[in-house]
Amino acid sequence: MNSWLSLVLACSLPVFCSAKSCDQKARGLGSRIGGFLSCSVNHAVPVTVCLGCHENFTLMASDYAEFMSNPSCAKRYTQEDRFDVIQTAYVNVASIWEKGFCSDCYDTNGTESLEVSHIMNIATDLDNCMVDKGNLFCNLCLANYENLNIFYNEFVKKHKDKICFDVQDKVNRTRSKWSENCCPRKASLTIFFSTIPVAFLLSIIFYGTSVGVYRRTPEHSALIDEESEQNIEEVATSDTWAGANTQVNLTRNAPANLLDEIIVRRQPGPSSTLESNAVVAI
């Protein structure tokens, strides 16, 4: 009784009562912010934040607008709070909704748009078809896949690439699964590496064949004969010079009595006399 009476008397002071009310509202807003943040984490993969956390975001935004519209509360938690905790927390958390273009998932009255609902249903039907049909889904689910592409491409053109992240993630995951199984775009590395030895062997065969064909041509044969004759002449010339040099060296190194004997033996003939004189001169 005394505590209740104290509260009534305290609330008779406008300043105290206003501060008490703002503190309660601040704690309530903090709970709303935490609720939306927790919901966003739980719906992060696969992305279903826009469709799964719409109620949490609506309640958070409503409480924040009400809190900031109160001058006393806004002053107390913006001007007097140097950290600006409430506004900073709300802006950072609300950016998740804005970056995901979540508002584009809904009509102006806040209900999920018929286009988004239709595309999500088509994507879900395709996912179920790929599971039910097993290895044959590439053929049996082709109509579902084409239907999804038609509606999604029209949706992208209409919204000018500002697509709700839930829809983007759903369609991208479905397309990725379809492409991996039905539209392989990359050749197998095993096939690539197996062709390297074959290409190398073919290069060697081509080079060897080209050289063999070239050597059999008349022009190449004539060139080889000419080079052979030139080599023979060079060898003969070198042998002649080598013989002459050998004879000169032997004559220079011969003893004096041997030179005299050579001169005596060659004296009868005129030609021999000339050769002997040439040797002595050397």
Side-chain angles (χ1 to χ4, degrees), residues 186-196:
K186 296 182 180 180
S188 174
L189 292 178
T190 304
I191 299 176
F192 172 74
F193 286 118
S194 64
T195 58
I196 294 178

Side-chain angles (χ1 to χ4, degrees), residues 43-44 46-51 95-106 116 120 152 155 161-173:
H43 291 79
V47 180
T48 55
V49 175
C50 299
L51 298 178
S95 64
I96 299 174
W97 187 268
E98 296 175 359
K99 291 180 180 178
F101 302 108
C102 291
S103 298
D104 291 331
C105 281
Y106 299 91
V116 170
M120 297 295 283
Y152 182 71
F155 184 77
D161 297 331
K162 291 184 178 181
I163 311 301
C164 171
F165 266 25
D166 289 22
V167 177
Q168 290 188 42
D169 187 73
K170 180 67 173 179
V171 175
N172 288 339
R173 288 178 181 274

Side-chain angles (χ1 to χ4, degrees), residues 68-115:
M68 296 303 293
S69 64
N70 188 318
S72 300
C73 297
K75 180 180 178 180
R76 178 176 175 82
Y77 283 92
T78 56
Q79 297 180 7
E80 297 180 9
D81 180 13
R82 295 183 179 181
F83 290 104
D84 201 7
V85 175
I86 291 182
Q87 187 172 7
T88 302
Y90 174 81
V91 170
N92 290 335
V93 174
S95 64
I96 299 174
W97 187 268
E98 296 175 359
K99 291 180 180 178
F101 302 108
C102 291
S103 298
D104 291 331
C105 281
Y106 299 91
D107 294 329
T108 55
N109 57 2
T111 58
E112 182 180 344
S113 67
L114 295 177
E115 293 176 318

Side-chain angles (χ1 to χ4, degrees), residues 59-266:
L59 293 175
M60 180 186 69
S62 177
D63 284 5
Y64 178 77
E66 181 182 352
F67 182 83
M68 296 303 293
S69 64
N70 188 318
S72 300
C73 297
K75 180 180 178 180
R76 178 176 175 82
Y77 283 92
T78 56
Q79 297 180 7
E80 297 180 9
D81 180 13
R82 295 183 179 181
F83 290 104
D84 201 7
V85 175
I86 291 182
Q87 187 172 7
T88 302
Y90 174 81
V91 170
N92 290 335
V93 174
S95 64
I96 299 174
W97 187 268
E98 296 175 359
K99 291 180 180 178
F101 302 108
C102 291
S103 298
D104 291 331
C105 281
Y106 299 91
D107 294 329
T108 55
N109 57 2
T111 58
E112 182 180 344
S113 67
L114 295 177
E115 293 176 318
V116 170
S117 178
H118 186 60
I119 293 175
M120 297 295 283
N121 290 335
I122 295 176
T124 301
D125 291 342
L126 178 56
D127 290 336
N128 295 334
C129 182
M130 288 189 289
V131 173
D132 296 338
K133 303 304 179 181
N135 297 330
L136 301 177
F137 74 82
C138 292
N139 294 326
L140 300 180
C141 303
L142 180 59
N144 302 68
Y145 178 74
E146 292 177 346
N147 193 29
L148 174 64
N149 284 332
I150 292 173
F151 280 96
Y152 182 71
N153 292 335
E154 292 179 354
F155 184 77
V156 171
K157 292 179 180 179
K158 181 178 180 180
H159 291 267
K160 299 179 180 179
D161 297 331
K162 291 184 178 181
I163 311 301
C164 171
F165 266 25
D166 289 22
V167 177
Q168 290 188 42
D169 187 73
K170 180 67 173 179
V171 175
N172 288 339
R173 288 178 181 274
T174 304
R175 282 178 167 179
S176 178
K177 184 178 179 180
W178 180 273
S179 299
E180 289 176 0
N181 293 275
C182 305
C183 308
R185 300 177 181 178
K186 296 182 180 180
S188 174
L189 292 178
T190 304
I191 299 176
F192 172 74
F193 286 118
S194 64
T195 58
I196 294 178
V198 177
F200 180 73
L201 180 61
L202 292 176
S203 300
I204 295 176
I205 295 174
F206 176 77
Y207 176 77
T209 305
S210 301
V211 172
V213 172
Y214 175 72
R215 288 181 175 179
R216 291 187 179 92
T217 58
E219 294 80 1
H220 185 264
S221 300
L223 180 59
I224 293 177
D225 295 340
E226 183 178 354
E227 291 179 353
S228 300
E229 293 177 358
Q230 184 177 358
N231 292 334
I232 293 172
E233 291 178 358
E234 291 177 355
V235 171
T237 303
S238 61
D239 292 343
T240 303
W241 281 101
N245 292 333
T246 302
Q247 183 177 1
V248 171
N249 292 333
L250 290 174
T251 305
R252 288 179 175 178
N253 297 328
N257 56 358
L258 181 58
L259 293 176
D260 295 339
E261 184 178 354
I262 293 174
I263 294 172
V264 172
R265 290 181 178 179
R266 293 189 178 183

